[in-house]
């Protein structure tokens, strides 16, 4: 597939084109700027029809081909070509449109030669002044264009557009008084004959690619003005078998790649003198034959940190791996050993799992497509059968994938499609990032609240709003396909909305190339309107918004202006996060404080000296976040003491001291997980259990009576019910997640036998410290 294009434009500049020439040259300049930005390797040529002089190779080689001038040599678009377009003016010559096609096709073939480029000719004329060749010459021209795979685009403007419409409707314009329309009708008759013969020759040669087209200037101008869309093409990243339990199924893995990057602009720092040389070489290449790329050089030097003025010779250089502040030298096998890769490419299916077992937010990178190899009989059918079986079972496949030798193997997940498998890379354990957020203890929404939310979703349905903009499109299959571009873009689908940052960047580049002295214009509304809320849609949904606000009243949002680090205490404890809670009245909602999702101590500047029982959570996080020294163990021990003191003061599990103690216990658990200190929290939980659930021997000895209600309240807490800290939360914990939860459910520990009394020291034993005062 050709990725480069060679375009030759034959532009009519005769006197009848005077009303249109300024508009055409302006749009052509903008299009050439797009070529520089997005397709800098494409070639462009320009021929002018109707000039007073004649300047083309065909006229120099033989007679004829008059009033046709080639404007510069064909090649990649440069700044001087863009500037020269604005100097085009109408002239008083009269050229032949068919002769112009011969001239530009000859120049196009000589430039492209046998390169695999797509070739295109664009003829732009109003048909009033140009003429057309005799009928016998059209067959030769059509054969030449088809054999060279040159596409012809006839762009009509003015009288030629009206002549095409009249011919389509079968109207005769030869009897009217409009001479320009009559001349354009004669030109269109010749061009239409050429078009029919090109189509006939293409059918005889079994060429399915359309090689001729007719469009209006208005349509071409609108197409050129559309935002740039990044072109992608499929490419095979793997071709070979997928190993399924020793059975090999030939497959191909396809991925999409961009024809060019979104912003293919490279900024290079050059001196003022180099810039002047580059400009001189571009304006006068004969006197400055030096390649512009050779004027920009990059120099790399190697030196020791202790001796920056002396360059290290190549035989004294060695690769190194940065480990913290140190550099570890790597040579030979050690350097190769750092690169983990497979000996040969592989694709191995390990088994199937439910699709719900692999959340979609685990997917990394882009999605590739796995299909059966069409070169092997039965491969496509086998892959489709596998897709159907996986879809019915609701499963996906886990596989090991390395697309080439020496590549690092990947863990991938295969999802069934209609005729293919969709492949996504999965992260490994150390690449998965998870955050442990405590659950919010809020009641479920009422039926009225759910109905109000459902009504709002229906009122703000973008699909239905866009469908209403197209009258008569009620069928499901016509819902999106038949929508106009603006309505499709209102659906907020990625393939219909251009990136405003990139498009604005491209607009400013074109502005700088075309009008360097003018200030940048404001962004057009057509570029940013699809990222703005639709005021009409929200106005129509105002009743649904009001109903939801009445069904779900919420409190004011609290502002947190101070920024903090993770280990710093969080916002003010007097203003905790607000959430909705069911009020005492039926169906009402009140704002009630709940523990924040993050540590809830206030950052008041200087750290606290110790954990205060009056403000335990706030002062605990201040002591823990003290940057002057490591006070982690001190903060945890003080928090344990405050928690036990509050529990001792509590008379019931639902009174104020108990609620305060449970909050301290939750914050202490979070801190121990954060600081990787599971042992201290687990020991505290064991002490609380022995205190609240004494065994029979302790109760007979007159110990503290059982406080099973407190333990039941702790086990019912959404966060504390997790029990001890497991190794899933902290690596230093030896407990599994099930063992940690089981501690909350199991019975009280057995009585610990009293320790044997220590034997008194022997009477003749001398005390080594008796002389100390």
């Amino acid at each position: 597939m050709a990725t480069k294009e060679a375009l030759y434009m034959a532009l009519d500049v005769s006197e009848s084109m005077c009303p249109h020439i300024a508009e055409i040259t302006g749009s052509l300049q903008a299009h050439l700027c797009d070529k520089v930005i997005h397709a800098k390797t494409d070639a462009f040529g320009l021929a002018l029809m109707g000039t007073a002089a004649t300047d083309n190779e065909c006229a120099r080689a033989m007679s004829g081909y008059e009033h046709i001038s080639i404007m510069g040599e064909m090649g990649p678009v440069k700044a001087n070509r863009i500037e020269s377009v604005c100097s085009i003016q109408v002239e008083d010559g009269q050229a032949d449109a068919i002769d112009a096609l011969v001239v530009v096709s000859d120049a196009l073939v000589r430039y492209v030669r046998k390169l695999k480029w797509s070739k295109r000719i664009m003829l732009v004329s109003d048909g009033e002044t140009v003429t057309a060749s005799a009928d016998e010459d059209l067959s030769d021209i059509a054969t030449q264009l088809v054999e060279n795979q040159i596409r012809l685009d006839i762009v009509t403007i003015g009288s030629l557009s009206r002549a095409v419409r009249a011919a389509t409707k079968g109207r005769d314009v030869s009897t009217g008084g409009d001479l320009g329309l009559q001349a354009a009708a004669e030109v269109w008759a010749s061009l239409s004959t050429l078009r029919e013969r090109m189509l006939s020759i293409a059918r005889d040669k079994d060429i399915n690619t359309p090689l001729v087209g007719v469009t209006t200037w208005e349509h071409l101008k609108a197409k050129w003005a559309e935002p740039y869309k990044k072109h992608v093409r499929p490419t095979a990243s793997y071709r070979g078998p997928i190993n399924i339990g020793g059975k090999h199924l030939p497959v191909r893995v396809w991925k999409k790649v961009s024809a060019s990057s979104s912003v293919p602009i490279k900024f290079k720092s050059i001196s003022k003198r180099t810039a002047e040389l580059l400009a001189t070489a571009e304006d006068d290449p004969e006197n400055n034959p030096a390649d512009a790329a050779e004027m920009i050089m990059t120099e790399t030097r190697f030196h020791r940190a202790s001796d920056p003025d002396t360059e290290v010779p190549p035989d004294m250089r060695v690769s190194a791996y940065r480990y913290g502040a140190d550099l570890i030298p790597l040579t030979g096998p050690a350097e190769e050993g750092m690169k983990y890769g497979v000996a040969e490419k592989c694709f191995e299916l390990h088994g199937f799992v439910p699709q719900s077992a692999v959340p979609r937010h685990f997917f990394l990178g882009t999605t590739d497509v796995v299909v059966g190899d069409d070169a092997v009989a039965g491969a496509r059918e086998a892959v489709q059968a596998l897709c159907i079986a996986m879809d019915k079972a609701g499963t996906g496949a886990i596989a090991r994938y390395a697309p080439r030798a020496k590549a690092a193997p990947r863990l991938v997940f295969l999802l069934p499609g209609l005729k293919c498998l969709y492949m996504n890379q999965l992260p490994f354990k150390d690449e998965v990032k998870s955050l442990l957020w405590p659950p919010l203890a809020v009641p479920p929404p009422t039926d009225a609240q759910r109905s109000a939310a459902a009504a709002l979703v229906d009122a703000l349905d973008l699909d239905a709003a866009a469908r209403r903009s197209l009258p008569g499109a009620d069928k499901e299959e016509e819902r999106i396909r038949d929508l106009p571009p603006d309505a499709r873009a209102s659906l907020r689908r990625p393939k219909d909305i251009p990136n405003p940052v990139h498009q604005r960047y491209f607009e400013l580049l074109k502005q700088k190339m075309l009008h360097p002295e003018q200030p940048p214009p404001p962004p057009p509304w057509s570029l940013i309107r699809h990222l703005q809320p639709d005021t009409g849609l929200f106005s129509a949904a105002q009743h649904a918004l009001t109903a939801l606000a009445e069904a779900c009243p919420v409190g004011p949002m609290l502002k947190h202006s101070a920024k903090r680090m993770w280990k710093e205490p969080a916002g003010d404890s007097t203003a905790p996060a607000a959430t909705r809670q069911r009020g005492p009245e039926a169906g009402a909602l009140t704002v009630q404080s709940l523990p924040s999702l993050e540590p809830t101590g206030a950052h008041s500047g200087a750290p606290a000296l110790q954990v205060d029982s009056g403000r335990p959570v706030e002062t605990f996080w201040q002591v823990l976040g003290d940057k002057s020294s490591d006070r982690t163990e001190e903060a945890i021990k003080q928090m344990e003491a405050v928690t036990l003191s509050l529990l001792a003061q509590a008379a019931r599990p639902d009174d104020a001291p108990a609620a305060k103690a449970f909050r301290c216990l939750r914050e202490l658990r979070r801190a121990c997980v954060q600081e990787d200190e599971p042992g201290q929290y687990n020991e505290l939980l064991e002490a609380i259990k022995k205190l609240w659930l004494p065994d029979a021997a302790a109760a007979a000895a007159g110990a503290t009576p059982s406080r099973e209600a407190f333990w039941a309240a702790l086990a019912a807490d959404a966060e504390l019910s997790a029990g001890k800290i497991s190794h899933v939360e902290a690596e230093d914990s030896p407990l599994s997640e099930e063992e940690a939860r089981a501690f909350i459910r199991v019975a009280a520990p057995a009585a610990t036998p009293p320790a044997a009394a220590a034997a008194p020291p022997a009477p003749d034993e001398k005390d080594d410290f008796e002389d100390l005062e």
Side-chain angles (χ1 to χ4, degrees):
M1 182 177 64
T3 59
K4 298 180 181 180
E5 181 189 57
L7 169 64
Y8 224 115
M9 175 179 283
L11 177 61
D12 185 2
V13 294
S14 54
E15 292 180 345
S16 61
M17 289 288 291
C18 185
H20 315 293
I21 198 68
E23 179 184 3
I24 292 175
T25 54
S27 297
L28 180 58
Q29 276 189 311
H31 180 63
L32 294 181
C33 290
D34 289 335
K35 287 278 188 181
V36 174
I37 298 172
H38 306 300
K40 60 182 180 180
T41 58
D42 287 1
F44 177 79
L46 181 61
L48 304 181
M49 302 182 297
T51 57
T54 301
D55 183 11
N56 62 80
E57 290 293 333
C58 293
R60 284 190 284 268
M62 61 190 77
S63 60
Y65 307 101
E66 297 178 351
H67 304 291
I68 301 173
S69 300
I70 300 297
M71 189 175 182
E73 295 295 330
M74 187 175 190
V77 180
K78 294 184 178 181
N80 56 355
R81 169 59 60 88
I82 298 176
E83 293 174 358
S84 64
V85 170
C86 66
S87 63
I88 297 177
Q89 301 292 333
V90 296
E91 301 185 31
D92 56 356
Q94 186 179 24
D96 187 286
I98 305 301
D99 286 349
L101 292 179
V102 174
V103 171
V104 297
S105 62
D106 176 70
L108 187 61
V109 171
R110 283 189 289 103
Y111 179 83
V112 177
R113 300 187 303 275
K114 295 183 179 181
L115 300 176
K116 294 182 179 180
W117 285 30
S118 61
K119 299 178 284 292
R120 185 157 62 105
I121 294 176
M122 188 176 292
L123 177 66
V124 184
S125 175
D126 64 351
E128 293 188 17
T129 307
V130 297
T131 59
S133 298
D135 185 72
E136 58 269 11
D137 296 333
L138 298 180
S139 297
D140 297 337
I141 303 301
T143 303
Q144 179 183 355
L145 294 176
V146 173
E147 289 181 349
N148 289 284
Q149 295 285 308
I150 300 175
R151 175 178 172 83
L152 172 62
D153 287 329
I154 303 173
V155 182
T156 64
I157 190 172
S159 298
L160 189 57
S161 296
R162 292 189 287 125
V164 172
R165 288 195 297 268
T168 304
K169 296 179 180 179
R171 290 192 296 108
D172 185 11
V173 298
S174 60
T175 58
D178 192 340
L179 299 180
L181 182 59
Q182 294 176 8
E186 295 178 1
V187 173
W188 171 242
S190 298
L191 293 177
S192 179
T193 303
L194 176 64
R195 173 174 173 268
E196 295 297 330
R197 293 185 181 180
M198 288 183 64
L199 294 175
S200 176
I201 296 173
R203 284 194 298 267
D204 295 340
K205 294 181 176 294
D206 294 329
I207 299 176
N208 298 322
T209 305
L211 292 179
V212 62
V214 181
T215 185
T216 63
W217 166 250
E218 290 75 13
H219 183 271
L220 179 63
K221 179 183 176 182
K223 185 178 180 180
W224 281 357
E226 288 180 357
Y228 168 73
K229 182 179 180 181
K230 184 170 63 175
H231 300 286
V232 296
R233 59 183 178 86
T235 183
S237 59
Y238 174 85
R239 183 177 184 181
I242 177 172
N243 188 352
I244 308 177
K247 303 297 182 180
H248 294 82
L249 177 60
V251 297
R252 286 190 182 187
V253 178
W254 293 90
K255 66 178 181 179
K256 287 185 177 181
V257 296
S258 301
S260 62
S261 60
S262 298
V263 188
I265 305 298
K266 296 182 179 179
F267 296 95
K268 295 183 178 180
S269 298
I270 57 177
S271 64
K272 183 178 180 180
R273 175 57 181 165
T274 305
E276 294 174 354
L277 292 175
L278 288 172
T280 305
E282 185 174 321
D283 296 337
D284 190 5
E286 295 182 358
N287 297 330
N288 297 274
D291 189 3
E294 296 179 356
M295 299 183 183
I296 305 174
M297 297 180 294
T298 303
E299 181 181 359
T300 304
R301 297 179 65 252
F302 297 86
H303 59 82
R304 297 183 181 89
S306 59
D307 188 8
D309 297 331
T310 303
E311 185 173 359
V312 178
D315 57 338
M316 297 296 292
R317 302 170 191 168
V318 66
S319 301
Y321 177 79
R322 184 174 294 279
Y323 186 78
D326 301 325
L327 291 175
I328 303 176
L330 297 173
T331 57
E335 185 176 3
E336 292 296 326
M338 296 288 290
K339 304 174 183 178
Y340 175 64
V342 295
E344 57 184 13
K345 63 180 183 180
C346 64
F347 197 0
E348 302 171 350
L349 191 143
H350 290 178
F352 300 93
V353 296
Q355 296 180 12
S356 58
V358 181
R360 288 185 176 268
H361 63 268
F362 275 13
F363 293 172
L364 304 177
T366 57
T367 301
D368 296 346
V369 176
V370 182
V371 297
D373 194 341
D374 53 0
V376 180
R380 284 185 174 270
E381 291 80 358
V383 172
Q384 292 182 25
L386 185 62
C387 292
I388 294 173
M390 293 171 62
D391 184 63
K392 288 185 176 180
T395 60
I398 301 293
R400 179 174 179 260
Y401 174 65
R404 60 187 180 277
K406 296 183 179 180
R410 311 173 189 170
L411 192 65
V412 296
F413 186 65
L414 303 175
L415 276 173
L418 185 61
K419 295 183 180 180
C420 62
L421 294 169
Y422 296 105
M423 183 175 70
N424 290 90
Q425 183 179 352
L426 294 178
F428 294 100
K429 177 182 178 181
D430 50 350
E431 296 172 337
V432 176
K433 296 177 175 60
S434 59
L435 298 175
L436 300 176
W437 302 116
L440 292 176
V442 295
T446 63
D447 293 339
Q449 294 169 351
R450 293 183 180 181
S451 300
L456 179 63
V457 172
D458 293 338
L460 294 179
D461 187 358
L462 294 172
D463 193 351
R467 183 168 44 183
R468 286 194 297 268
S469 66
L470 184 66
D474 297 329
K475 295 182 180 180
E476 185 68 21
E477 61 270 14
E478 299 177 357
R479 188 185 68 223
I480 295 178
R481 185 185 65 240
D482 295 337
L483 291 177
D486 289 345
R488 287 200 306 269
S490 65
L491 293 176
R492 284 8 182 219
R493 298 192 305 170
K495 65 179 183 179
D496 292 325
I497 299 180
N499 187 330
V501 176
H502 288 177
Q503 301 305 325
R504 177 62 173 166
Y505 176 78
F506 300 146
E507 283 191 353
L508 293 179
L509 281 180
K510 289 193 290 186
Q511 173 74 13
K512 185 66 176 177
M513 284 189 280
L514 297 177
H515 310 287
E517 304 300 330
Q518 296 181 5
W525 173 245
S526 60
L527 185 63
I528 62 176
R529 67 188 182 93
H530 295 306
L531 295 184
Q532 303 291 334
D534 189 344
T535 55
L537 182 63
F538 277 90
S539 298
Q542 192 62 39
H543 65 286
L545 289 168
T546 304
L548 181 65
E550 293 175 352
C552 307
V554 295
M557 183 177 294
L558 303 177
K559 296 182 179 179
H560 300 276
S561 58
K563 294 184 178 180
R564 62 183 184 86
M565 302 298 291
W566 170 249
K567 287 192 175 183
E568 293 178 353
D572 189 358
S573 60
T574 61
T579 185
R580 296 193 303 271
Q581 282 282 17
R582 191 184 304 274
E585 302 177 2
L589 294 178
T590 59
V591 178
Q592 184 177 1
S593 309
L594 282 181
S596 172
L597 296 180
E598 297 182 354
T600 55
H603 180 54
S604 59
L609 298 179
Q610 62 180 7
V611 179
D612 184 5
S613 59
R615 300 181 304 156
V617 174
E618 175 185 354
T619 54
F620 168 66
W621 285 106
Q622 288 183 0
V623 175
L624 192 65
D626 189 357
K627 297 182 179 180
S628 60
S629 61
D630 186 4
R631 303 177 63 186
T632 303
E633 185 176 358
E634 176 186 353
I636 293 176
K637 288 187 176 298
Q638 292 181 10
M639 192 63 161
E640 290 177 358
V642 171
T643 303
L644 292 175
S645 175
L646 291 171
L647 290 175
Q649 299 174 18
R652 299 186 314 276
D654 56 348
D655 62 6
K660 197 172 187 179
F662 286 152
R663 185 183 177 195
C664 293
L665 201 58
R666 284 191 291 268
E667 298 293 335
L668 182 60
R669 193 182 194 281
R670 298 175 192 174
C672 289
V673 171
Q674 172 186 311
E675 301 296 335
D676 203 9
E677 295 286 348
Q680 299 194 46
Y681 177 80
N682 293 343
E683 292 175 1
L684 174 63
L685 207 59
E686 291 177 358
I688 293 176
K689 189 171 185 180
K690 289 181 181 179
L691 182 66
W692 286 352
L693 303 178
D695 53 29
T704 305
S706 175
R707 307 184 75 180
E708 296 181 0
F710 285 82
W711 187 259
L714 186 147
D717 187 88
E719 184 174 355
L720 299 178
S721 60
K724 294 183 176 182
I725 298 176
S726 65
H727 68 81
V728 177
E729 301 172 281
E731 295 182 355
D732 290 348
S733 176
L735 302 177
S736 64
E737 193 171 7
E738 180 60 30
E739 291 173 342
R741 288 186 177 273
F743 181 78
I744 296 291
R745 300 191 300 266
V746 297
T752 304
D764 57 348
E765 186 178 357
K766 185 178 180 181
D767 189 358
D768 294 335
F769 301 99
E770 62 181 359
D771 296 332
L772 295 179
E773 296 182 359

